[in-house]
């Protein structure tokens, strides 16, 4: 299992590669017209043949996710490594463990958890939406990206999560289960608060930092101040955890904005103490601090073989017609195709409303390009990585804002009945 996780994460970027190809290259390979957006429309809405590709490995993987229990402790400290496909004595794969935890929670409220996987999952098997909770591992992802130089999970957030906000897979009764009082069903479906509390557990690795840089008294005080700010940032993000179920696409996009704004606020809060701490270190200590990122890469390399084929997914010359991994990623994207004709016929849209729907669809599809899933080379220092992380979050916040405006325009003249019909599209796709 662990061998393919990072490969699938990288393969998830192939669509972006296609979107940014020159139109003539795309047309030459696939016979497409309409430029990059036409390529995106094709990839999401018209690869019907590939949507029939089923893989036993995916079903087995999903079954294992369903059987995983939601734990309150840090999954990276789980000693039962053999049960997760990791050889004893090696560090557990954080991506596999996180995927197992979030998948169990994500699927438990979706049609009673009867399906082995959800169409809104990330390419690595994890989920950006768990019931009403968006970005459950937000604080850990900031820590990994800024301190450990590992932005893999952060880079996977984008089009798929926005699509899931518009076409939520949960019916209203299923979402209610996430915030219902603990009872017989509550034992099986964790509350939104439980998901938020259980997912962000790592915090700033103070002991590892101290062991690496061997701080003097003044530096240790600055490190403690940074740790305090880091805990405050976690509390800021947790405060944006939903206490009520977002019932509409507008409310879900609003929740996305709140969570993204909280994450940006968190980066702003830790920036000054991080700059102060780094500023007190000498060159040798800075090198040792940056060594934590190298250790992270080495640990992952020890449990994941390099997959050159998957790594080439971000190459503009990559051809998904001859790559099984990329075909599987196409299948997921086809599951996320826009049911435009179904929406237009069910809601009985007039020409104006249909044009506004097309604008909403195109605005959302463009996020494939602006929120590329291709991992970039991490910056050399934590401060530089923090700047890059904040820029990514601001780009996503801007994208969600633009889509919210397009959605408002689309729904402006719809009747209550039409709006209800639009909200029913997501759960219908999971039947």
């Amino acid at each position: 299992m662990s061998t393919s996780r990072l490969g699938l994460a990288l393969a998830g970027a192939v669509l972006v590669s296609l979107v940014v190809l020159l139109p003539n290259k795309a047309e030459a390979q696939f016979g497409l017209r309409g430029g990059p957006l036409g390529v995106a429309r094709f990839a999401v809405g018209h690869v019907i043949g590939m949507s029939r590709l089923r893989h036993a490995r995916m079903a087995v993987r999903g079954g294992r996710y369903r059987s995983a229990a939601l734990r309150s402790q840090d999954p990276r400290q789980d000693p039962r490594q053999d049960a997760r496909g990791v050889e004893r004595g090696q560090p557990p794969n954080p991506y596999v463990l996180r995927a197992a935890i979030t998948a169990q929670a994500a699927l438990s409220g979706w049609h009673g958890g009867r399906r082995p996987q959800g169409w809104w999952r990330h390419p690595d098997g994890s989920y950006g939406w768990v019931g009403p909770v968006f970005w459950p591992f937000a604080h850990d992802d900031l820590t990994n990206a800024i301190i450990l130089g590992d932005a893999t999970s952060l880079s996977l957030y984008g089009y798929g999560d926005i699509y899931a906000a518009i076409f939520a897979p949960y019916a209203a009764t299923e979402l209610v289960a996430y915030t219902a009082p603990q009872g017989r069903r509550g034992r099986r479906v964790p509350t939104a608060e439980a998901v938020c509390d259980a997912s962000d557990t790592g915090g700033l690795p103070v002991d590892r930092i101290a062991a690496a840089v061997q701080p003097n008294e003044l530096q240790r005080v600055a490190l403690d101040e940074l740790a305090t700010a880091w805990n405050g940032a976690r509390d800021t993000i947790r405060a944006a955890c939903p206490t009520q179920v977002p019932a509409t696409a507008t409310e879900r996009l609003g929740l996305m904005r709140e969570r993204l704004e909280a994450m940006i606020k968190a980066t702003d809060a830790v920036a000054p103490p991080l700059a102060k701490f780094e500023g007190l270190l000498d060159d040798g200590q800075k090198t040792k601090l940056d060594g934590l990122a190298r250790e992270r890469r080495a640990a992952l390399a020890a449990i994941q073989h390099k997959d050159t084929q998957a790594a080439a997914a971000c190459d503009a010359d990559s051809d998904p017609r001859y790559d099984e991994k990329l075909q599987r990623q196409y299948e997921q994207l086809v599951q996320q195709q826009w049911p435009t004709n179904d929406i237009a016929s069910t809601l009985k849209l007039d020409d104006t409303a249909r044009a506004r729907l097309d604008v909403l669809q195109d605005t959302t599809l463009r996020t494939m390009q602006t929120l590329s899933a291709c991992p970039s080379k991490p910056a050399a220092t934590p401060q530089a990585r923090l700047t890059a992380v904040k820029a990514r979050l601001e780009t996503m916040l801007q994208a969600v804002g633009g889509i919210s405006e397009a959605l408002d325009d689309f729904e402006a003249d719809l009747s209550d009945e039409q709006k209800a019909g639009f909200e029913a599209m997501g759960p219908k796709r999971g039947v």
Side-chain angles (χ1 to χ4, degrees):
M1 285 178 59
S2 60
T3 304
S4 63
R5 289 298 183 273
L6 188 57
L8 285 176
L10 292 174
V14 65
L15 182 60
V16 179
S17 300
L18 291 175
V19 171
V20 299
L21 288 175
L22 292 177
N24 59 348
K25 183 175 182 62
E27 292 170 7
Q29 288 188 339
F30 299 101
L32 303 177
R33 295 294 185 271
L37 188 56
V39 178
R41 280 181 172 276
F42 165 80
V44 176
H46 302 286
V47 196
I48 302 303
M50 290 183 180
S51 69
R52 303 181 186 279
L53 295 175
R54 308 307 301 174
H55 299 274
R57 189 188 314 171
M58 296 174 67
V60 171
R61 177 184 66 194
R64 290 176 180 171
Y65 288 167
R66 289 183 62 197
S67 65
L70 184 68
R71 296 177 174 84
S72 60
Q73 70 269 24
D74 185 349
R76 287 163 293 189
Q77 303 301 319
D78 192 336
R80 295 173 295 179
Q81 296 175 9
D82 289 342
R84 309 210 183 281
V86 180
E87 295 181 8
R88 190 172 298 281
Q90 290 187 337
N93 186 331
Y95 303 117
V96 175
L97 295 176
R98 282 174 42 148
I101 288 175
T102 53
Q104 187 274 340
L107 296 174
S108 63
W110 184 50
H111 300 297
R114 294 191 297 271
R115 295 279 181 113
Q117 56 192 330
W119 52 257
W120 70 104
R121 71 192 184 282
H122 282 176
D124 68 342
S126 64
Y127 287 80
W129 279 96
V130 178
V133 179
F134 171 65
W135 210 318
F137 283 93
H139 186 252
D140 278 359
D141 284 343
L142 293 183
T143 303
N144 292 338
I146 296 169
I147 302 299
L148 302 179
D150 179 7
T152 305
S153 295
L154 187 145
S155 68
L156 296 179
Y157 280 85
Y159 168 78
D161 304 290
I162 296 172
Y163 182 94
I166 297 174
F167 300 106
Y170 303 95
T173 54
E174 293 158 351
L175 277 172
V176 168
Y178 278 94
T179 54
Q182 291 294 328
R184 182 175 181 181
R185 178 168 175 78
R187 288 195 296 270
R188 188 160 62 89
V189 180
T191 65
E193 182 181 7
V195 172
C196 288
D197 288 344
S199 59
D200 287 325
T201 57
L204 186 72
V206 176
D207 293 341
R208 291 182 61 190
I209 294 174
V213 304
Q214 295 295 308
N216 58 32
E217 184 176 351
L218 183 61
Q219 293 167 342
R220 181 68 207 206
V221 171
L223 178 58
D224 290 341
E225 292 175 354
L226 176 59
T228 299
W230 217 273
N231 289 336
R234 177 194 60 203
D235 294 341
T236 296
I237 295 172
R238 284 185 176 177
C241 185
T243 56
Q244 295 182 341
V245 172
T248 66
T250 297
E251 293 176 357
R252 289 186 291 272
L253 289 172
L255 175 60
M256 292 184 76
R257 291 198 303 273
E258 291 177 7
R259 293 283 284 178
L260 290 167
E261 288 169 351
M263 294 176 72
I264 292 171
K265 184 178 180 180
T267 62
D268 288 337
V270 302
L274 179 61
K276 177 181 177 180
F277 175 65
E278 281 197 84
L280 293 172
L281 301 179
D282 59 34
D283 290 342
Q285 289 175 311
K286 290 179 181 178
T287 299
K288 292 177 180 178
L289 178 61
D290 294 338
L292 296 179
R294 294 192 295 271
E295 291 177 6
R296 174 77 166 195
R297 290 192 294 269
L300 291 177
I303 54 179
Q304 292 181 335
H305 299 293
K306 291 184 178 180
D307 191 330
T308 55
Q309 186 179 36
C314 288
D315 189 338
D317 292 327
S318 178
D319 191 338
R321 294 175 298 178
Y322 309 111
D323 189 324
E324 181 181 352
K325 287 186 175 66
L326 303 189
Q327 289 177 354
R328 288 203 300 271
Q329 183 58 21
Y330 260 122
E331 179 180 3
Q332 180 183 344
L333 290 168
V334 168
Q335 289 177 318
Q336 294 175 352
Q337 65 181 307
W338 277 70
T340 309
N341 292 333
D342 191 14
I343 294 172
S345 60
T346 301
L347 274 59
K348 297 180 173 58
L349 300 180
D350 57 24
D351 291 342
T352 300
R354 180 58 190 261
R356 290 174 176 173
L357 176 61
D358 289 341
V359 170
L360 173 60
Q361 177 185 8
D362 292 349
T363 302
T364 307
L365 288 174
R366 286 192 180 93
T367 63
M368 295 180 188
Q369 183 173 354
T370 58
L371 297 171
S372 169
C374 288
S376 58
K377 184 178 179 179
T381 68
Q383 287 189 74
R385 293 194 288 267
L386 184 148
T387 299
V389 167
K390 182 179 178 181
R392 170 78 181 198
L393 295 174
E394 289 177 335
T395 299
M396 188 167 186
L397 179 61
Q398 183 178 10
V400 172
I403 293 166
S404 297
E405 292 178 359
L407 177 61
D408 289 342
D409 289 343
F410 167 63
E411 293 189 332
D413 296 326
L414 297 185
S415 65
D416 291 342
E417 183 180 359
Q418 287 175 311
K419 291 178 182 178
F422 181 70
E423 292 298 334
M425 290 295 166
K428 279 177 57 179
R429 300 191 68 257
V431 174

